[in-house]
Amino acid sequence: MAPYVSDDSTTGGEADERRSGRRKAARYVVPVTVMGVAAATIGLVPALADSGDPDLPKITAQQLIEKMAESDVQQLSGTVKISTDLGLPDLGGLESSLMSGAAGQGEGGSSADPTAKLTELAAGTHTLRVAADGPDKQKLSLLENAAEYSLVHNGKDVWGYDSKSNEVFHGTASESPEHGKEQPPATPKDFAEEALKAVDDTTSVTVDGTAQVAGRDAYKLVIKPKQSGSMVGAVSVAVDAETGMPLKFTLTPASGGAAVVDAGFTQVSFAKPAASTFDFTPPKGAKVTEEKDAGKGSDKDFGKGFEKGGPREHAPKAEEDLGKGLDGMKTIGEGWSSIATFDTGGEGMPSGEAGGDLGGFVDSLGDKVTGKFGSGTVFSTRLINALITDDGKVYVGAVTKDALVKAADAGK
């Protein structure tokens, strides 16, 4: 893991202290079962407009990172808003239809499965209510039109409830001692720490003044790639001046315009939530799906597959085949300009007349490119580009199209 590097001078001892602080900061995380949704919500949240920059004591980037690492907030409640704009192709509503369809096709067909509900947060704007009381009690509610989806973790139990369909999904949190080490970020603080893992000598880290987020005074930490060719413009984290907990996370693309992810608390309290907040009993008449009956895994497998982005054990065959290609994945370059590459062992994407109607459709979504490697198609979003060559090799990263072509040429 790359050490934190800022524009402030640091000593080796200070770096060791920072790493120790980060380990301490990562002690409290929710189970993977809750994390699946929380990582994309609580950790990615927009705040209300600043109401005047507060006058706070000066602080260096190093000191602010240490303040984040030492933060130990375990109790909170509030309202969260998240907007995601990856700039995916407009397919006449196809994207939103796929998201909605995925949300209704969870394990065993349950619309209350949290792994299915997670897909809804990948696009558009959403409002959530969140609450936490230590590592064993969390609640997240996704507010929808005339409906609500709630995900509740209380001790060993994890409940998902979709009021629209009156369906309940029940699973059991993992008790594995290795569990916490494998989980992705679960809170704004955890997500900010994940962003900081990309920080190395190719990165600029500075404190860019102060702000007010959800009525609280905060410092603004700004992370920017120093390298050219990255699609990432900057990552901005608003850090609560009192507690050191990140309140807002914003990722802007190098191309400018609206943020790819703009997420933050619009209201937050650090008081202990009422114990009843985390109580859940399936409503009368609700269809209840047990995780152990929905897939081939046991209760302890609930949510498995979010760990390090790994595939679920009961994933479709196609996903398993893709996983074989990922086993041979390599990384080209370093820092923000790094590119992942692997060989699918296939024949690339169908395109042009040879691919028939499907080939024409694929061509409309991507850009044909050529080089020493031959030819292929680049599929682009506002943050990530992927090149799939005609001989089945894949190059993907938060880098420009030209950078991908150059990497493919270098591989020949």
Side-chain angles (χ1 to χ4, degrees), residues 226-247:
K226 292 180 179 179
Q227 300 166 304
S228 62
S230 174
M231 296 287 285
V232 177
V235 173
S236 177
V237 182
V239 182
D240 186 62
E242 180 182 349
T243 67
M245 190 186 87
L247 300 173

Side-chain angles (χ1 to χ4, degrees), residues 107-108 111 148 155 206 217 279 292 333 345 360 366 384:
E107 289 303 312
S111 66
E148 180 175 318
T206 59
D217 293 347
D279 292 338
K292 63 182 179 181
I384 302 295

Side-chain angles (χ1 to χ4, degrees), residues 1 9 15 31 38 66 69 115 129 149 156 169 173 186 220 249 256 278 285 295 364 401 410:
M1 182 183 301
S9 60
E66 289 174 346
T115 64
R129 286 197 296 261
Y149 175 79
K156 294 182 179 180
F169 196 87
K220 294 189 293 186
F249 179 95
F278 310 102
S364 71
K401 177 172 66 175

Side-chain angles (χ1 to χ4, degrees), residues 56-390:
L56 297 173
K58 297 294 182 182
I59 191 171
T60 66
Q62 153 115 21
Q63 291 170 333
L64 186 53
I65 290 172
E66 289 174 346
K67 188 176 185 70
M68 293 167 61
E70 293 167 359
S71 177
D72 198 16
V73 173
Q74 298 186 54
Q75 299 171 338
L76 65 85
S77 59
T79 302
V80 163
K81 196 174 179 182
I82 172 171
S83 295
T84 306
D85 180 10
L86 289 172
L88 297 175
D90 182 2
L91 303 178
L94 177 59
E95 176 187 348
S96 59
S97 297
L98 289 174
M99 293 299 180
S100 299
Q105 298 297 323
E107 289 303 312
S110 174
S111 66
D113 177 14
T115 64
K117 273 294 176 180
L118 174 62
T119 62
E120 293 189 14
L121 301 172
T125 298
H126 304 274
T127 299
L128 307 102
R129 286 197 296 261
V130 298
D133 184 8
D136 296 325
K137 293 183 179 181
Q138 295 91 27
K139 181 176 181 179
L140 181 151
S141 297
L142 172 60
L143 308 184
E144 303 170 313
N145 292 329
E148 180 175 318
Y149 175 79
S150 294
L151 185 60
V152 181
H153 167 222
N154 192 340
K156 294 182 179 180
D157 292 309
V158 177
W159 298 94
Y161 175 60
D162 185 355
S163 68
K164 185 176 182 180
S165 63
N166 198 29
E167 292 191 28
V168 174
F169 196 87
H170 178 235
T172 303
S174 173
E175 299 177 7
S176 168
E178 297 296 311
H179 188 69
K181 298 179 182 179
E182 299 174 340
Q183 295 177 159
T187 66
K189 176 180 177 179
D190 294 330
F191 197 90
E193 288 176 346
E194 287 296 310
L196 285 167
K197 288 180 181 179
V199 173
D200 55 18
D201 58 5
T202 68
T203 311
S204 165
V205 183
T206 59
V207 177
D208 186 22
T210 62
Q212 272 213 335
V213 177
R216 295 188 64 85
D217 293 347
Y219 292 101
K220 294 189 293 186
L221 185 71
V222 177
I223 304 167
K224 291 183 178 181
K226 292 180 179 179
Q227 300 166 304
S228 62
S230 174
M231 296 287 285
V232 177
V235 173
S236 177
V237 182
V239 182
D240 186 62
E242 180 182 349
T243 67
M245 190 186 87
L247 300 173
K248 179 181 179 182
F249 179 95
T250 304
L251 172 60
T252 54
S255 59
V260 173
V261 175
D262 187 17
F265 284 94
T266 58
Q267 181 277 327
V268 65
S269 169
F270 295 111
K272 180 183 176 71
S276 59
T277 302
F278 310 102
D279 292 338
F280 181 81
T281 301
K284 185 177 180 180
K287 175 187 175 182
V288 180
T289 300
E290 293 288 340
E291 190 278 339
K292 63 182 179 181
D293 297 325
K296 81 176 186 179
S298 67
D299 278 350
K300 292 185 179 181
D301 292 326
F302 184 61
K304 198 166 187 178
F306 288 112
E307 303 159 1
K308 298 297 183 183
R312 294 174 66 90
E313 286 188 1
H314 44 279
K317 180 64 164 61
E319 188 172 335
E320 293 174 1
D321 290 341
L322 177 60
K324 293 177 181 178
L326 294 176
D327 289 340
M329 187 170 65
K330 299 178 181 178
T331 301
I332 301 171
E334 62 178 355
W336 300 86
S337 296
S338 61
I339 297 171
T341 179
F342 59 94
D343 191 341
T344 65
E347 299 179 354
M349 300 294 293
S351 63
E353 295 181 2
D357 291 341
L358 178 58
F361 178 69
V362 170
D363 285 347
S364 71
L365 298 180
D367 296 325
K368 292 296 294 183
V369 294
T370 58
K372 296 177 182 177
F373 66 90
S375 60
T377 305
V378 174
F379 299 92
S380 302
T381 70
R382 299 177 64 223
L383 184 64
I384 302 295
N385 285 327
L387 165 61
I388 303 179
T389 65
D390 290 346

